[in-house]
Amino acid sequence: QGASRLAPSQAAESPQPHTVMSETVGFVGLGIMGIGMAENLIKAGRKLVVWNRDTGKSKAFADEHPGTVVASSPAEVVKAVTRTYCMLSTPEA
């Protein structure tokens, strides 16, 4: 028995497949949680502008993900994009 087929009325109600997003977004904080979240945004088709307190992490991330832009400050990230995600360890960070 093959896969079941939807009736035309059911097919119209089915969710459409996800489309790849191409919006560039900002990401501040590439620590333990932030790096995984940033990678998931890239997998979803986003391009990133990133910043991290440890500039080495930002540069390494950009080296692993071509097209990623490393910003010189969080303010530069925010100015470059319309949406910024932050994953910080403390409010002071």
Side-chain angles (χ1 to χ4, degrees), residues 14-89:
S14 296
Q16 297 299 311
H18 292 282
T19 56
V20 175
M21 301 280 192
S22 61
E23 175 188 11
T24 299
V25 297
F27 205 96
V28 174
L30 296 171
I32 293 169
M33 287 190 66
I35 198 160
M37 294 172 72
E39 286 176 339
N40 282 333
L41 287 166
I42 287 174
K43 287 177 190 174
R46 305 290 177 127
K47 298 205 181 310
L48 297 181
V49 176
V50 300
W51 180 86
N52 195 74
R53 287 184 295 181
D54 177 348
T55 58
K57 285 187 178 183
S58 296
K59 290 176 183 175
F61 186 86
D63 288 344
E64 290 179 31
H65 305 284
T68 297
V69 174
V70 177
S72 61
S73 69
E76 186 177 309
V77 174
V78 173
K79 288 177 186 173
V81 297
T82 58
R83 180 175 305 168
T84 300
Y85 297 93
C86 297
M87 184 52 62
L88 307 174
S89 59

Side-chain angles (χ1 to χ4, degrees), residues 1-5:
Q1 293 183 343
S4 63
R5 303 191 126 212

